[in-house]
Amino acid sequence: MTALALEDASANNSPIFTLFDSETVDELTRDHILRLAVGVLGAVRIKGFSSPVDCEDVMRSLATCELGGYDEALIFPRIAKLGPAAYDFYGDYGLGERYWEHAEQSVATRSTLLRGGDPMDVAKQRLRSAWGDDLIPATSGGRELFSGMIREIASGAKIHFDEIVREFPGVLDEPPASFLTFNWYLSMPDGGGETRVHRHRWQPSDEQYRDGYGYTEEAVEGEPVAVVEPEAGDAVIFDSRNFHAVEPPRGEGRRVSLSFFLGVTGRGPLAIWS
């Protein structure tokens, strides 16, 4: 290969540079999940992952639930949620008993939201079908972690990343080779609320751009980006180790999703947690 060819391969309009984009599909497949895991797909949007009726039923049921939120001293503006994140309760190199109590209470509440059933069952069944194997809870200290948080992002979210094996070393009994985040949108606003996924993973030099729980735009300047604009009933999956952000919603409507992480190891079940 000539020097000119090498130069062309690194240009911004080359296939190598642009091998990070979003795809919109009618059906999720194992290939989509693997391409996300190895980093040659930025995000995948599954149109009509659920019916509008399912979304409307869950949203009606949520109206009777009191949502909690992340610690506002760490994450502000407020993000309302049902269910614990490991991030909320990790301390002294493990999860405290309050995490397991909160997890049990949250599953009991969520288990009646979809016509008396659990919307998490719908999500897991459809992901099992795409992957061709089971979904099993990730464990910590031999105990099954909670998965299936319901969140409302009303003011957007800063550029940030989620990487449990870096942020909380040792919390997972079996760290996955890579992991993704799954979001099923139960409600979306009239405008805004897009997800941006940048082909950029954390490195020490990023700390100069630290802004509270997230980072400023300078941290991802010049990096390829995949932008996803879901509608209610759609699902979106991407690698949460990549820096990502949520644009503020505009107009009427709420941005509410059921979310959890997928641990990918290759052949075998997907591990899940929140």
Side-chain angles (χ1 to χ4, degrees):
M1 181 179 290
T2 66
L4 178 60
L6 286 172
E7 183 178 349
D8 290 343
S10 64
N12 288 8
N13 62 353
S14 75
I16 290 176
F17 189 89
T18 56
L19 200 60
F20 187 87
D21 206 346
S22 63
E23 289 187 14
T24 298
V25 301
D26 294 322
E27 182 178 355
L28 180 69
T29 68
R30 181 184 181 88
D31 180 67
H32 293 123
I33 295 172
L34 289 173
R35 287 165 60 208
L36 287 166
V38 300
V40 293
L41 178 61
V44 61
R45 171 192 175 194
I46 307 99
K47 282 190 65 65
F49 182 83
S50 73
S51 70
V53 173
D54 285 352
C55 295
E56 291 164 4
D57 193 78
V58 175
M59 291 302 295
R60 277 195 300 270
S61 299
L62 275 177
T64 66
C65 299
E66 182 177 352
L67 299 181
Y70 294 97
D71 184 346
E72 292 187 37
L74 300 174
I75 297 180
F76 188 84
R78 183 175 188 266
I79 296 177
K81 66 184 180 70
L82 168 65
Y87 182 89
D88 298 329
F89 294 90
Y90 186 79
D92 298 326
Y93 302 98
L95 295 170
E97 194 59 35
R98 285 197 310 121
Y99 168 85
W100 307 104
E101 294 170 359
H102 191 174
E104 184 177 359
Q105 295 165 1
S106 299
V107 170
T109 299
R110 195 193 60 209
S111 65
T112 63
L113 294 181
L114 180 57
R115 293 185 293 279
D118 193 339
M120 187 66 176
D121 293 338
V122 173
K124 290 194 294 184
Q125 187 277 326
R126 293 179 184 172
L127 285 167
R128 284 190 195 102
S129 179
W131 183 242
D133 208 325
D134 203 2
L135 272 69
I136 60 173
T139 62
S140 182
R143 303 174 75 175
E144 295 183 354
L145 294 176
F146 171 82
S147 60
M149 183 188 300
I150 296 179
R151 299 186 301 176
E152 178 172 8
I153 298 180
S155 303
K158 296 177 182 179
I159 294 171
H160 66 287
F161 71 96
D162 302 291
E163 188 173 3
I164 193 169
V165 295
R166 181 182 300 279
E167 297 171 288
F168 311 129
V171 70
L172 296 183
D173 291 338
E174 295 185 22
S178 63
F179 49 86
L180 312 173
T181 185
F182 167 87
N183 299 274
W184 166 19
Y185 294 90
L186 304 168
S187 176
M188 283 295 290
D190 292 339
E194 305 95 332
T195 297
R196 288 188 287 122
V197 185
H198 299 267
R199 193 176 69 179
H200 180 88
R201 294 184 183 173
W202 181 87
Q203 52 193 11
S205 60
D206 291 328
E207 290 306 299
Q208 65 184 305
Y209 305 118
R210 170 69 72 170
D211 178 23
Y213 74 85
Y215 298 83
T216 62
E217 295 287 341
E218 288 87 349
V220 294
E221 187 174 355
E223 299 282 8
V225 60
V227 179
V228 193
E229 302 179 32
E231 299 176 354
D234 293 349
V236 172
I237 309 177
F238 59 89
D239 189 328
S240 62
R241 294 171 298 178
N242 288 317
F243 276 31
H244 54 279
V246 174
E247 298 296 335
R250 301 189 306 273
E252 297 296 320
R254 302 166 63 186
R255 188 188 191 280
V256 180
S257 64
L258 184 148
S259 305
F260 52 92
F261 296 107
L262 299 166
V264 182
T265 58
R267 292 287 175 183
L270 294 172
I272 57 175
W273 72 94
S274 286

